[in-house]
Amino acid sequence: MKIRKAVIPAGGLGTRFLPATKAIPKEMLPVVDTPTIQYIVEEAVKSGIEDIVIITGRTKRAIEDHFDKSAELEVRLDDAHKDAQLAQMEAISNLANMIYVRQKEPLGLGHAVMTAREVIGDEPFAVLLGDDVMTGEKPALAQLIEVFNEYDAPVVGVKAVPWTHTNKYGIIRAESAGEHLSRVEGLVEKPQPDKAPTNLAVMGRYVLTPEIFDILKETGKGVGGEIQLTDALDTLCTQRPMYAWELEGRRYDVGDKQGFLEATCEFALANPELKGPFARYLKQLVAQLEGEDIEQN
Ligand code: G1P
């Protein structure tokens, strides 16, 4: 069955980015000139998704406005003959069929996914997390959809992380099933390194089957007092085969200040207009820093 729908949870409070996120959704913070959520929506569309369900909450109105048509702005750009910008604005509002569902309380990722149940119905679907921006030749979600199409089974996207970081991620227990591919035997949310079964961490990309909704309904609060998608997946993989695919491409954790800054620098260097002047600026900066003892900080 074709994967047509994707869920993007965006109901979180963004406390890691306060005060910037006091009045602005964290998903609207730009990397160079594009809100992070637009990179996620574009990846979904490039992977063949037609309907995008964004799980929002209070203070998230700017996300809806961003993907809507802005008639007034378009008229102004047209009058000013700013054709390239006009085309860019039109393209954003035509990216996909956007559907917004409110998550009334931030009760966790599992709860956010459950909120999409009515809109998803009885078909397999994708989940993309907004904190994980991925780059690379083949979109991350498209890689998972290929695996789904071959095995007709739920798939999670993983990457190996340093063992000291296992407590930041959902971690899989798995058996190798080929190059880049594992059969998932269990999952655990944010285990301490000495409790982690592997160092393969879930990187915010999932292709799920609709049984997950019934399982989520029965899933109690887990780590952090939240309903965890990882816990529901741990049950799902006992009911039907589940796979993990080691994603190709670079991943940026834009939910973290360091990761956000790394994305900003690298996306600027990949931008044809900024590359030259920004690289020159960075070289100067590095030369200046070389005299300083940064290891002390
Ligand atoms: C969430 C998931 C976790 C996953 C991570 C990927 O955690 O709960 O399983 O590995 O995203 O970024 P969060 O970063 O929201 O705490």
Side-chain angles (χ1 to χ4, degrees):
M1 199 171 184
K2 190 175 179 309
I3 307 290
R4 298 183 305 125
K5 297 180 181 177
V7 177
I8 303 178
L13 295 176
T15 44
R16 283 197 282 176
F17 268 94
L18 282 169
T21 50
K22 191 176 171 204
I24 294 171
K26 70 168 178 178
E27 295 79 8
M28 289 302 295
L29 296 178
V31 170
V32 182
D33 56 6
T34 301
T36 56
I37 193 162
Q38 189 180 322
Y39 293 111
I40 307 288
V41 170
E42 285 171 347
E43 180 195 318
V45 171
K46 278 191 220 142
S47 306
I49 298 295
E50 295 158 16
D51 295 345
I52 295 192
V53 188
I54 299 192
I55 311 300
T56 68
R58 294 174 67 240
T59 77
K60 300 284 181 164
R61 280 287 295 280
I63 298 176
E64 294 183 40
D65 291 342
H66 183 72
F67 292 104
D68 197 3
K69 194 171 171 66
S70 175
E72 198 185 274
L73 176 64
E74 288 180 17
V75 167
R76 278 178 184 254
L77 291 173
D78 197 19
D79 288 350
H81 304 293
K82 295 194 167 165
D83 298 339
Q85 276 186 316
L86 175 62
Q88 201 184 17
M89 293 311 106
E90 286 171 342
I92 293 171
S93 55
N94 291 326
L95 268 172
N97 178 27
M98 308 298 290
I99 300 153
Y100 299 92
V101 180
R102 286 258 192 156
Q103 183 187 14
K104 290 182 189 141
E105 291 171 277
L107 298 180
L109 177 59
H111 179 256
V113 170
M114 205 162 35
T115 311
R117 181 176 202 159
E118 300 304 318
V119 187
I120 298 297
D122 195 25
E123 59 181 284
F125 64 101
V127 176
L128 300 97
L129 304 189
D131 283 347
D132 299 300
V133 170
M134 306 279 311
T135 57
E137 234 160 81
K138 190 182 282 181
L141 180 61
Q143 296 173 40
L144 297 196
I145 291 176
E146 268 182 23
V147 177
F148 173 84
N149 288 341
E150 192 171 336
Y151 293 90
D152 193 24
V155 194
V156 295
V158 295
K159 267 185 179 292
V161 295
W163 281 89
T164 46
H165 291 184
T166 57
N167 58 0
K168 302 203 300 190
Y169 300 99
I171 300 288
I172 62 165
R173 183 157 52 82
E175 192 146 279
S176 175
E179 214 188 333
H180 294 295
L181 191 70
S182 311
R183 171 92 183 253
V184 179
E185 292 169 346
L187 293 99
V188 44
E189 182 69 6
K190 302 194 172 81
Q192 291 306 325
D194 60 334
K195 299 267 158 43
T198 65
N199 64 340
L200 290 174
V202 178
M203 288 298 166
R205 297 294 183 277
Y206 311 77
V207 174
L208 303 177
T209 47
E211 308 92 74
I212 196 73
F213 293 120
D214 277 339
I215 298 173
L216 278 168
K217 223 167 74 185
E218 302 302 321
T219 303
K221 288 181 181 170
V223 171
E226 297 188 339
I227 299 173
Q228 297 290 350
L229 180 59
T230 302
D231 294 343
L233 291 174
D234 185 47
T235 305
L236 182 62
C237 76
T238 62
Q239 297 179 1
R240 59 178 296 170
M242 183 189 292
Y243 290 89
W245 174 254
E246 268 189 74
L247 291 164
E248 289 162 22
R250 172 91 158 91
R251 173 249 182 188
Y252 300 89
D253 179 4
V254 296
D256 169 77
K257 284 174 201 160
Q258 173 78 22
F260 188 89
L261 291 171
E262 288 175 12
T264 301
C265 287
E266 291 183 36
F267 279 47
L269 291 172
N271 179 305
E273 261 173 53
L274 292 170
K275 187 178 169 46
F278 191 63
R280 280 192 289 279
Y281 162 73
L282 282 182
K283 277 189 181 166
Q284 265 176 18
L285 191 64
V286 168
Q288 199 180 314
L289 285 173
E290 261 163 12
E292 292 179 20
D293 190 2
I294 44 179
E295 297 307 324
Q296 291 295 309
N297 294 309

